[in-house]
Amino acid sequence: MYEPGLEELLGRHVAGLPGSSGRLRFTTSWAEVAEFGDVHFVCVNTPQKHGEYACDMSYVNSAFDLLAPHLTRPALVVGKSTVPVGSAARLAARLAELARPGPRRSWRGTRSSCARASLCRTPCTRTGS
């Protein structure tokens, strides 16, 4: 991958580099990720299954399964991978199943009339898809 100016930009902001702002950091701790972020973008590979036309959802499923138990406060989880129709509803149900119970917990798929309100942090009076 080549992106002009990326190396310099990373050098100015990656935590732990001399003289950096420290605004960009990396971790392998799902607990740290869940505690830090209000919005989680799940952007993982969905390769084609060998000998089939279907995609392999194991990376997406794994990311949601590993993140969900650590969500202890309201958060927006965005699936940004190439997935089959119906995946958003299935993954939202999986998050609801695996996440710890908490106040004001609701799950919205991309078809939700409240999804835009959540992104814009405006009040929403109903949940569902």
Side-chain angles (χ1 to χ4, degrees):
M1 176 177 104
Y2 175 73
E3 183 67 33
L6 180 61
E7 186 174 349
E8 294 80 17
L9 184 64
L10 290 173
R12 285 196 309 267
H13 298 291
V14 172
L17 296 179
S20 79
S21 70
R23 294 177 63 189
L24 179 61
R25 59 193 175 96
F26 300 90
T27 183
T28 57
S29 168
W30 290 97
E32 186 179 346
V33 166
E35 177 58 32
F36 176 80
D38 293 325
V39 179
H40 306 281
F41 284 88
V42 178
C43 311
V44 297
N45 194 15
T46 52
Q48 186 172 345
K49 288 183 177 178
H50 184 68
E52 299 181 33
Y53 293 110
C55 69
D56 177 356
M57 291 286 292
S58 62
Y59 299 108
V60 175
N61 294 337
S62 178
F64 275 73
D65 288 356
L66 291 166
L67 176 61
H70 299 285
L71 296 174
T72 59
R73 59 189 173 86
L76 177 64
V77 180
V78 180
K80 185 62 188 98
S81 297
T82 304
V83 296
V85 172
S87 296
R90 183 182 63 76
L91 292 167
R94 186 77 176 143
L95 281 175
E97 177 186 337
L98 295 175
R100 295 179 187 174
R104 296 185 58 236
R105 179 91 56 221
S106 64
W107 306 100
R108 300 174 183 102
T110 56
R111 294 180 183 205
S112 168
S113 62
C114 293
R116 178 171 284 227
S118 293
L119 288 169
C120 298
R121 295 182 183 261
T122 58
C124 178
T125 56
R126 74 174 192 83
T127 61
S129 56

